Amino acid sequence: MANDASTVFDLVILGGGSGGYAAALRGAQLGLDVALIEKNKLGGTCLHNGCIPTKALLHAGEVADQSRESEQFGVKTSFEGVDMAGVHKYKDEVIAGLYKGLQGLVASRKITYIEGEGRLSSPTSVDVNGQRVEGRHVLLATGSVPKTLPGLEIDGNRIISSDHALTLDRVPKSAIVLGGGVIGVEFASAWKSFGSEVTVIEGLKHLVPVEDENSSKLLERAFRKRGIKFNLGTFFQKAEHTQDGVKVTLADGKEFEAEVLLVAIGRGPVSQGLGYEENGVATDRGFVLVDEYMRTNVPTISAVGDLVPTLQLAHVGFAEGILVAERLAGLKTVPVDYDGVPRVTYCHPEVASVGLTEAKAKEVYGADKVVSIKFPLGGNGKSRILKTAGEIKLVQVKDGAVVGVHMVGDRMGEQVGEAQLIYNWEALPAEVAQLIHAHPTQNEALGEAHLALAGKPLHMHD
């Protein structure tokens, strides 16, 4: 169909990552004739270079930690080391299975899939493989790539990006991680589990700085206990090769040396040289600008995912892609509430949240109108069984709804689903408190925190 010049698709999508393929699947489901163009592999960063492979590494690291520490549970094992070839085999098998399933989904929905590097050639067309693909609407979903800093050259050997880190054929003896956000702390956690000596460099005053400050402090405490070093509040100045690795110098003159330097300062949009600006699409620092319905300033063009300045999360891309497909199909759509999106950092321990931080809530509602409470996981039976520490913190508008849920501890990412419902349905603490949570579960801790906030704590001092 793509080779037939007379074909005009309802929707032409440039980019087959989370946002792009979600729009394609939903659009086809709603009867739209869809063309999906991807230069690499269907599934994009999340499936091949992001969410899925990093979580596989983190799980392998968790298994390594459990092997070393099993005797505390009365189980004697011996830990002989990490076989990175075996870890990559496991990781790649996970990816391959999901990739095959996604390919099958796209084929089953009768989506025209075109493999090749596309370029926006007009407000209603994309050029790919020497052909012009015409559409009534075009969706830009070209994603992001790892960022670096001026003068900091990523060589793929000693100075690496997250892409390189995912295929590293060895466990580095020592590593410096530049950036204490989600990507940085996840790799720091995995490498420490594998046996590396790790130091995280973060220019802001806390690790995971976009999270509630209490969560950041709990993670920092846990990292200290694990032996993960970090330097906060001073920015990077330069990096240089040494005989055995790399040396990093900070703005205050402090120096750190390690075998490798992972540059994990975030991801930047892929938009250069793709015909966006030439066709009138407004951008800012490479990001394509959109309204709340993901519409650009060009009526026939929308954009989603990491390409636009919203939360860089795969599930946000899914939601934005679905929104575009449903809008084009004539359904009533509701803009994404980005505060209501669950956020999880999968280090050990996990950091999970939804809604506003306490600082943000005070900014929005006034300091005197906000209350918070913390429920320590030490008071939760299942968490004690798992030997994990941490807290669940709730932020509430006084006499009103819970506007923030912030959790630190192993497996807290699995509890964020209920937290999402609590925030998005504007639940009152008393309403959650009357729900019965299964015992013993970690989920029960979320219920106990709401019991406490409702003024009737059970396994917690008044």
Side-chain angles (χ1 to χ4, degrees):
M1 289 176 68
N3 294 324
D4 182 353
S6 65
T7 300
V8 178
F9 293 92
D10 294 315
L11 177 59
V12 174
I13 303 170
L14 183 54
S18 302
Y21 84 68
L25 292 172
R26 183 62 177 137
Q29 193 176 53
L30 292 169
L32 300 180
D33 194 3
V34 180
L36 178 61
I37 300 164
E38 169 57 49
K39 70 176 182 178
N40 291 319
K41 289 183 176 180
L42 183 63
T45 294
C46 174
L47 178 53
H48 301 285
N49 301 96
C51 325
I52 300 301
T54 53
K55 280 46 175 184
L57 291 185
L58 282 157
H59 183 63
E62 182 183 354
V63 173
D65 285 333
Q66 289 175 340
S67 299
R68 289 189 195 94
E69 300 162 6
S70 66
E71 201 158 339
Q72 65 179 313
F73 302 101
V75 179
K76 293 188 176 182
T77 63
S78 60
F79 176 72
E80 297 182 13
V82 174
D83 169 19
M84 282 311 295
V87 170
H88 288 312
K89 181 176 181 290
Y90 149 69
K91 166 180 68 75
D92 293 342
E93 284 173 352
V94 173
I95 294 168
L98 293 170
Y99 181 41
K100 185 177 180 182
L102 182 55
Q103 288 173 306
L105 266 177
V106 167
S108 72
R109 300 275 171 91
K110 296 181 170 49
I111 294 161
T112 299
Y113 181 67
I114 306 164
E115 196 169 303
E117 188 163 356
R119 188 178 189 278
L120 187 69
S121 48
S122 81
T124 56
S125 66
V126 173
D127 287 355
V128 58
N129 301 336
Q131 301 289 327
R132 180 152 293 183
V133 185
E134 295 278 354
R136 294 180 180 84
H137 200 89
V138 175
L139 175 61
L140 308 178
T142 44
S144 63
V145 289
K147 289 197 299 189
T148 187
L149 295 169
L152 182 55
E153 185 180 343
I154 294 175
D155 57 30
N157 182 21
R158 297 186 188 185
I159 302 177
I160 63 175
S161 72
S162 56
D163 287 350
H164 302 118
L166 286 170
T167 58
L168 208 60
D169 62 359
R170 67 193 188 283
V171 176
K173 291 180 181 176
S174 57
I176 298 168
V177 177
L178 182 59
V182 174
I183 298 169
V185 299
E186 286 188 350
F187 274 104
S189 184
W191 278 344
K192 182 62 181 179
S193 296
F194 289 158
S196 297
E197 288 300 315
V198 184
T199 302
V200 182
I201 306 294
E202 171 54 55
L204 300 177
K205 64 179 183 177
H206 286 296
L207 296 178
V208 289
V210 300
E211 294 292 341
D212 189 89
E213 188 172 322
N214 186 66
S215 295
S216 296
K217 289 179 177 178
L218 288 168
L219 180 62
E220 288 159 14
R221 184 189 305 165
F223 270 22
R224 283 191 199 97
K225 191 172 180 181
R226 292 186 61 196
I228 298 174
K229 299 172 185 173
F230 48 89
N231 192 92
L232 306 173
T234 307
F235 287 97
F236 167 89
Q237 186 176 74
K238 66 177 180 178
E240 52 198 314
H241 285 193
T242 64
Q243 186 175 343
D244 302 317
V246 63
K247 179 168 73 174
V248 168
T249 305
L250 303 188
D252 61 2
K254 274 188 190 172
E255 294 180 344
F256 301 86
E257 291 193 34
E259 182 184 329
V260 296
L261 166 63
L262 170 62
V263 181
I265 58 169
R267 299 180 64 87
V270 176
S271 59
Q272 292 301 308
L274 295 177
Y276 296 173
E277 293 179 350
E278 292 92 322
N279 285 286
V281 178
T283 63
D284 179 33
R285 296 170 294 115
F287 289 102
V288 171
L289 300 177
V290 292
D291 68 5
E292 60 187 348
Y293 292 99
M294 315 316 296
R295 298 176 295 202
T296 72
N297 60 310
V298 180
T300 54
I301 300 176
S302 297
V304 297
D306 287 2
L307 180 62
V308 302
T310 57
L311 291 172
Q312 290 186 327
L313 298 168
H315 45 290
V316 167
F318 294 151
E320 292 171 346
I322 291 167
L323 188 156
V324 170
E326 293 185 347
R327 173 168 57 79
L328 294 177
L331 274 61
K332 184 180 178 182
T333 55
V334 177
V336 176
D337 173 8
Y338 293 99
D339 287 331
V341 171
R343 307 172 294 270
V344 186
T345 304
Y346 293 88
C347 50
H348 167 49
E350 291 182 351
V351 181
S353 64
V354 66
L356 307 182
T357 64
E358 184 172 359
K360 183 65 176 176
K362 286 179 176 177
E363 204 179 291
V364 172
Y365 297 103
D368 60 329
K369 297 287 195 298
V370 172
V371 295
S372 67
I373 197 165
K374 301 171 190 174
F375 182 81
L377 293 184
N380 173 255
K382 187 60 180 286
S383 296
R384 292 294 285 263
I385 290 166
L386 295 171
K387 289 186 177 285
T388 186
E391 285 178 355
I392 292 178
K393 176 180 176 179
L394 304 179
V395 180
Q396 179 200 12
V397 176
K398 195 175 290 184
D399 300 323
V402 173
V403 295
V405 181
H406 305 277
M407 304 179 284
V408 177
D410 289 346
R411 305 187 185 181
M412 287 298 102
E414 301 304 321
Q415 310 310 320
V416 83
E418 184 182 359
Q420 176 186 222
L421 297 179
I422 289 165
Y423 171 84
N424 284 289
W425 286 346
E426 301 177 353
L428 300 173
E431 293 172 331
V432 182
Q434 70 186 12
L435 302 175
I436 299 172
H437 292 74
H439 174 79
T441 63
Q442 287 187 293
N443 181 243
E444 185 182 15
L446 198 53
E448 292 257 12
H450 283 84
L451 280 167
L453 195 55
K456 47 182 183 180
L458 189 60
H459 297 99
M460 183 178 175
H461 295 291
D462 293 337

